[in-house]
Amino acid sequence: MFRNKRRNGDVQVAIKDASLIDLRGVSKAYKTDAGEFTALDGVTLQIDQGEFVSIVGKSGSGKTTLINMLTGIDRPTGGEIHVAGTAVHHLNESDTATWRGKNLGVVFQFFQLLPTLTVLENVTLPMGLCNLYTRRERIERARHLLELVGIADEADKLPSRLSGGQQQRAAIARAMANDPPIIATDEPTGNLDSHAAEAVMQLFESLVDQGKTVLMVTHDPELAERAPRTITLANGELLNEYLVRALPTLPHDLLLDATRQIETSLFAPGELIIEHNAEPDKFYVITKGDVEVVLPTPDGKEVLLDSLGPGQFFGEIALLNGGLRTALVRASHAPVEVVALSKEVFLDVIHASKETLSELADIITLRTNRLALAGSSQ
Ligand code: ADP
Ligand code: MG
């Protein structure tokens, strides 16, 4: 998202719009009897308006801590958190409550509706707390939201009279009460049967369609996949998103090892990334743009073998099979960004996972067949 280039004296500078959610080196250490425990370690992350992002990771990897940091429910011990233009890490407690009330709807696993208020009163409550709308508008708005989530008939009941799925829908209506740009949810379907979970997922998808930004912690891989973007935590650190997409079967501890050793490079349109007949030295995953995989022929022509984009990889064949690079790889018509692993790191990591190794072997078979076919038709 680049704004039009701005004139700054004679120099033209492209300015990237600040992301809606921008975390820079965010850390959280909890004090425990056994000393400090680092639950988040240097998390840097940008999320733009309108994105639907799932957040996954093993139990204890830091997902809830991350949600608590960016909703201002808890404070980081290091780093910066900017959400919707506000430096959340600088807010004091009373400012945080008002800020959150207007900017974020939060949905938890256990609904957390107030048990002594009716469903309707639970939904009007955030509007009152932030002093938004008149009393009559609050009630109209709450009824409308309950209709949208499909539980208008339950408006005057206490939450305990509702099923789990209905209570979660009420919680989503409450989260939407002040029309916040961001919905942050922590295991919202964790306490629901699959039918109710599906209804909740469809509500989130419709919110995204309306331009809301939805962050959803889940440990259900099928639900996570419904979001166009998934971020993965392991041991309080973020795994490289593109590496996870490229090598989905690699266990998280190995992905973390690899993420820590990644090198990022940029290539201009048309620039060579891998040369024909070169010694193999790296494994590449594309993070931006597209590359062309090309087989040079003896008479100086070229055969286009493949075109690869973000989340796809190249450079694995010669690293795993030995020999020199057979095909060349270059950036297509736009700039390309890649992350690379050195040969040593790549081989160490891959050989630690039988499943990933066999998955790569299948891809290599397909790709070398294509190479042989292209070579023989010359
Ligand atoms: P997740 O939601 O991914 O399961 P959490 O963010 O809840 O993980 O927790 C991450 C780690 O931080 C866990 O090991 C957990 O035990 C620890 N932790 C969470 N909250 C606290 C706390 N208030 N005090 C001490 N340790 C905590
Ligand atoms: Mg959690």
Side-chain angles (χ1 to χ4, degrees), residues 60 62-65 186-187 217:
K63 303 182 297 295
T64 295
T65 304
D186 193 355
E187 308 271 7
V217 169

Side-chain angles (χ1 to χ4, degrees), residues 180-371:
I182 303 166
I183 308 294
T185 76
D186 193 355
E187 308 271 7
T189 63
N191 207 31
L192 303 180
D193 62 42
S194 60
H195 184 71
E198 178 57 31
V200 162
M201 275 306 287
Q202 287 182 12
L203 279 176
F204 291 142
E205 285 167 346
S206 74
L207 291 175
V208 174
D209 288 343
Q210 292 163 33
K212 302 288 183 198
T213 304
V214 176
L215 312 182
M216 178 184 69
V217 169
T218 179
H219 55 236
D220 181 330
E222 274 180 37
L223 295 185
E225 256 182 39
R226 301 229 327 233
R229 179 176 174 199
T230 298
I231 62 174
T232 312
L233 282 163
N235 259 325
E237 290 182 58
L238 226 46
L239 300 181
N240 181 279
E241 279 172 58
Y242 298 91
L243 201 58
V244 177
R245 274 162 66 180
L247 303 171
T249 58
L250 204 59
H252 287 184
D253 55 334
L254 295 173
L255 281 164
L256 182 56
D257 247 16
T259 294
R260 287 172 172 164
Q261 302 185 71
I262 249 171
E263 305 155 24
T264 304
S265 332
L266 277 170
F267 295 89
E271 192 177 345
L272 264 188
I273 304 173
I274 285 184
E275 275 181 71
H276 180 54
N277 283 337
E279 276 298 335
D281 59 347
K282 285 176 188 166
F283 169 79
Y284 298 88
V285 176
I286 304 164
T287 58
K288 284 193 191 97
D290 296 292
V291 304
E292 293 170 348
V293 184
V294 171
L295 180 67
T297 63
D299 57 358
K301 293 196 184 119
E302 293 188 336
V303 184
L304 178 65
L305 293 169
D306 217 344
S307 185
L308 304 172
Q312 293 184 294
F313 59 80
F314 57 91
E316 79 290 359
I317 298 180
L319 288 179
L320 281 167
N321 288 3
L324 300 177
R325 300 291 197 191
T326 323
L328 64 84
V329 180
R330 68 176 165 233
S332 299
H333 306 294
V336 166
E337 187 189 87
V338 297
V339 290
L341 295 174
S342 72
K343 176 180 177 173
E344 294 70 29
V345 171
F346 172 70
L347 292 178
D348 271 3
V349 163
I350 290 303
H351 282 111
S353 164
K354 280 210 177 79
E355 198 185 351
T356 310
L357 202 54
S358 99
E359 200 177 53
L360 277 179
D362 289 347
I363 292 172
I364 288 177
T365 303
L366 280 172
R367 288 180 170 180
T368 47
N369 283 346
R370 196 178 299 174
L371 263 168

Side-chain angles (χ1 to χ4, degrees), residues 28-32 35 37-40 56-68 74 186-187 217 219 233 236:
K28 176 68 179 180
Y30 291 111
K31 288 198 174 49
T32 71
F37 178 84
T38 303
L40 279 186
V56 301
K58 297 198 175 112
S59 179
S61 59
K63 303 182 297 295
T64 295
T65 304
L66 179 66
I67 289 287
N68 289 349
D74 200 357
D186 193 355
E187 308 271 7
V217 169
H219 55 236
L233 282 163

